[in-house]
Amino acid sequence: MALSFRHQPYLIVKYLRLIFEGADGKASISALTHYILGVAERLEEEFKAIIENTDLEIIPDVMSTLEQILTRGRKEGMEKGMEKGKQKERILHLLKTALKFPEMAAVDLADFTGLPQETVQDFIAITAKGDKDKLLKYVQEELLADIPLNAEEMEKLQELVEKLLAGTDR
C-alpha cells in the first residue's frame, strides 16, 4: 500500500493504520518507517506526532525506529555544526596569521591553519589584488559558505580584511 501511494503522500498518512497492520516483525516495521519518512514528505517529529495519535499495537516498535532516526539526525547535526565552527576558526586564523606574518608562504599558512594549500593560495592571490569587497565576498561566499556569522563576527571579519589590506596589524 505504501508503495502504491508513494506519489500521494497524504494517502500514506491517511491509511497509516492499514499499512502498518501489514507489517510482519520489527525489521518490516523499521523498513516501512524509513520508507514512509522518505516518501511521505513529513518531518520525523511530525510523523512521530501522527504515530502517537494512533492506537496501533506496533507503536513501540515504530517509536523505537523513529527515536533511532532522530538520535542519528541530532548527532549528525551536531557534527556538522562543530565542523562549521572549526572551519570558521580556521578562516579567522588564516586572516590573523596572514596579517601578522604577511611574508609567510602559502604552504606554511596552509599547514599552520589546517586549510588546503589551494584555498590559501587563492586567498593570497585575491588579497594581493587589494580589493576589499572582492576579498570579503570570497571569504564569505567561498570560505565561509553556509556558515552564518553573527554581527560581532562579521565586524571582526571586516576589521581583519581592512587591516590585512592596509598592511598593518595595529
Side-chain angles (χ1 to χ4, degrees), residues 69-87:
I69 292 168
L70 290 168
T71 299
R72 187 177 334 123
R74 284 189 287 270
K75 182 180 176 189
E76 289 171 2
M78 286 176 55
E79 288 171 359
K80 285 179 184 177
M82 288 173 56
E83 186 54 40
K84 284 182 178 184
K86 287 178 187 177
Q87 179 69 3

Side-chain angles (χ1 to χ4, degrees), residues 131-148:
D131 186 329
K132 176 186 167 189
D133 293 333
K134 282 186 182 180
L135 183 56
L136 268 173
K137 183 177 179 179
Y138 173 74
V139 171
Q140 289 175 298
E141 294 180 7
E142 297 294 326
L143 302 181
L144 296 172
D146 300 323
I147 301 175

Side-chain angles (χ1 to χ4, degrees), residues 92-128:
L92 291 174
H93 193 62
L94 171 65
L95 288 163
K96 291 174 187 176
T97 305
L99 179 61
K100 292 280 186 191
F101 305 102
E103 300 303 319
M104 186 179 277
V107 66
D108 295 327
L109 267 173
D111 185 48
F112 194 66
T113 60
L115 292 166
Q117 187 172 344
E118 184 179 316
T119 299
V120 173
Q121 288 171 330
D122 290 346
F123 169 79
I124 290 171
I126 292 168
T127 301

Side-chain angles (χ1 to χ4, degrees), residues 6-170:
R6 70 183 174 275
H7 297 296
Q8 299 167 313
Y10 67 94
L11 290 177
I12 291 175
V13 173
K14 183 176 179 178
Y15 294 106
L16 208 54
R17 169 184 280 291
L18 287 173
I19 291 169
F20 275 112
E21 283 177 356
D24 185 29
K26 282 187 175 188
S28 181
I29 292 168
S30 179
L32 264 172
T33 302
H34 279 89
Y35 178 80
I36 290 170
L37 283 172
V39 298
E41 300 173 356
R42 299 282 189 270
L43 296 173
E44 288 88 353
E45 293 289 346
E46 183 182 353
F47 186 68
K48 182 179 176 183
I50 292 167
I51 292 296
E52 287 175 337
N53 290 323
T54 65
D55 59 349
L56 292 171
E57 291 178 22
I58 58 161
I59 286 178
D61 294 331
V62 175
M63 296 304 277
S64 173
T65 300
L66 276 170
E67 284 304 320
Q68 290 172 6
I69 292 168
L70 290 168
T71 299
R72 187 177 334 123
R74 284 189 287 270
K75 182 180 176 189
E76 289 171 2
M78 286 176 55
E79 288 171 359
K80 285 179 184 177
M82 288 173 56
E83 186 54 40
K84 284 182 178 184
K86 287 178 187 177
Q87 179 69 3
K88 188 187 310 183
E89 288 303 313
R90 286 185 197 112
I91 300 306
L92 291 174
H93 193 62
L94 171 65
L95 288 163
K96 291 174 187 176
T97 305
L99 179 61
K100 292 280 186 191
F101 305 102
E103 300 303 319
M104 186 179 277
V107 66
D108 295 327
L109 267 173
D111 185 48
F112 194 66
T113 60
L115 292 166
Q117 187 172 344
E118 184 179 316
T119 299
V120 173
Q121 288 171 330
D122 290 346
F123 169 79
I124 290 171
I126 292 168
T127 301
K129 293 178 182 174
D131 186 329
K132 176 186 167 189
D133 293 333
K134 282 186 182 180
L135 183 56
L136 268 173
K137 183 177 179 179
Y138 173 74
V139 171
Q140 289 175 298
E141 294 180 7
E142 297 294 326
L143 302 181
L144 296 172
D146 300 323
I147 301 175
L149 298 177
N150 62 36
E152 183 180 319
E153 292 168 330
M154 190 62 200
E155 189 176 310
K156 182 68 175 174
L157 175 64
Q158 290 174 344
E159 178 185 325
L160 286 169
V161 166
E162 286 173 11
K163 285 182 179 181
L164 185 61
L165 293 179
T168 180
D169 62 349
R170 303 262 180 243

